[in-house]
Amino acid sequence: MSLTRAFGRGFRDGLSVPGFVLISSFLGFGALIRQSEFTLVQGLLSTATGWALPGQIAMVELYTTGASFLVIALAVALTNVRLLPMTVVLMPVLRSASTPRWLPYFVVHWVAITGWAQALRVCPGMPRPARFPYFMGFSMVLWPGALMGTLIGYYLAGSVPLALSLGLVFLNPIYFMLVFAADLRIRTRVWALGLGALLGPVLHLYLPDFSLLVTGLLAGSLAFVLGGGLAGKRKGKAS
């Protein structure tokens, strides 16, 4: 597969369901910034530079409640810390012997939940030199699409019920869950999804402010152990 074909395949894949889901999610964010009296420029700048919807929502909600800059920065950092392990997992999958050393540092900005899930699903079956071009082609649809969704959502606010607009935000995590649920050969993945679904609502009753973080830590750790640890991971790859 040539690098151009790999980029084109990623671009075409981004134009399908993943792109539609992401744009729809950012429609909700655009409506949120309009309702929160942010300017369009601020909303677009947030999407262009941060491009992590949970962190962006946390920023807007805390700002509207009058939280200090330090509190907002800490909340956004905690919300987006998930991107670090996601990047650590993804880069070895994309990198090849011919990859320039600077390229991963450039591409890392486009690591987001949708592209990450797509790359882990598709790239292992591709030749290594084609994986970075595929990921970049895919991301070159999603990143501008997120900006377009923010823009359209901002101007649609008021003409569409707010509950409907904000509900679109949840399309992205639902899609992410379905992508991984479609391939249940890896036991660790099954345990992580199941334990997260069970522990999340229970922990929210007792730790509403930290339930998501604690659920991810507990469900992921237990899934790793129950799935056989590194041995289970190797077995999943071999299958």
Side-chain angles (χ1 to χ4, degrees):
M1 180 181 294
S2 69
L3 302 187
T4 303
R5 285 184 60 194
F7 183 92
R9 178 183 171 185
F11 195 89
R12 289 193 301 272
D13 287 352
L15 290 173
S16 60
V17 176
F20 171 77
V21 170
L22 190 74
I23 292 173
S24 299
S25 298
F26 275 89
L27 287 174
F29 177 70
L32 178 63
I33 62 172
R34 179 72 175 269
Q35 295 290 335
S36 303
E37 298 183 355
F38 276 71
T39 67
L40 176 60
V41 173
Q42 290 170 328
L44 291 174
L45 186 62
S46 170
T47 298
T49 57
W51 200 39
L53 198 52
Q56 292 174 253
I57 293 173
M59 177 195 70
V60 173
E61 290 186 344
L62 287 172
Y63 180 83
T64 55
T65 61
S68 66
F69 176 80
L70 178 60
V71 170
I72 295 173
L74 287 174
V76 173
L78 283 173
T79 305
N80 290 341
V81 73
R82 61 192 168 83
L83 296 171
L84 177 59
M86 287 168 58
T87 301
V88 170
V89 169
L90 181 61
M91 287 301 135
V93 175
L94 299 181
R95 189 184 295 120
S96 68
S98 61
T99 300
R101 182 169 296 183
W102 58 267
L103 186 59
Y105 296 96
F106 173 75
V107 172
V108 72
H109 176 66
W110 286 278
V111 175
I113 189 169
T114 307
W116 182 79
Q118 180 75 4
L120 289 183
R121 186 174 68 88
V122 175
C123 287
M126 301 177 65
R128 279 197 170 270
R131 296 180 185 182
F132 260 119
Y134 175 86
F135 181 75
M136 286 303 299
F138 189 82
S139 300
M140 288 302 99
V141 175
L142 268 63
W143 188 59
L147 290 168
M148 183 176 68
T150 303
L151 175 67
I152 296 173
Y154 184 88
Y155 285 111
L156 284 181
S159 59
V160 177
L162 181 60
L164 176 61
S165 298
L166 297 182
L168 294 173
V169 170
F170 293 96
L171 284 177
N172 208 35
I174 292 172
Y175 169 79
F176 168 77
M177 182 185 70
L178 292 176
V179 165
F180 278 95
D183 183 4
L184 299 179
R185 293 174 298 169
I186 302 175
R187 290 174 55 194
T188 306
R189 189 175 296 171
V190 178
W191 280 113
L193 290 173
L195 290 170
L198 290 173
L199 292 175
V202 176
L203 290 174
H204 183 71
L205 296 175
Y206 299 98
L207 299 168
D209 294 330
F210 299 96
S211 59
L212 188 60
L213 185 63
V214 176
T215 298
L217 181 61
L218 287 178
S221 300
L222 288 172
F224 182 77
V225 174
L226 294 172
L230 293 176
K233 184 178 180 182
R234 293 191 203 99
K235 184 178 179 181
K237 285 183 177 180
S239 62

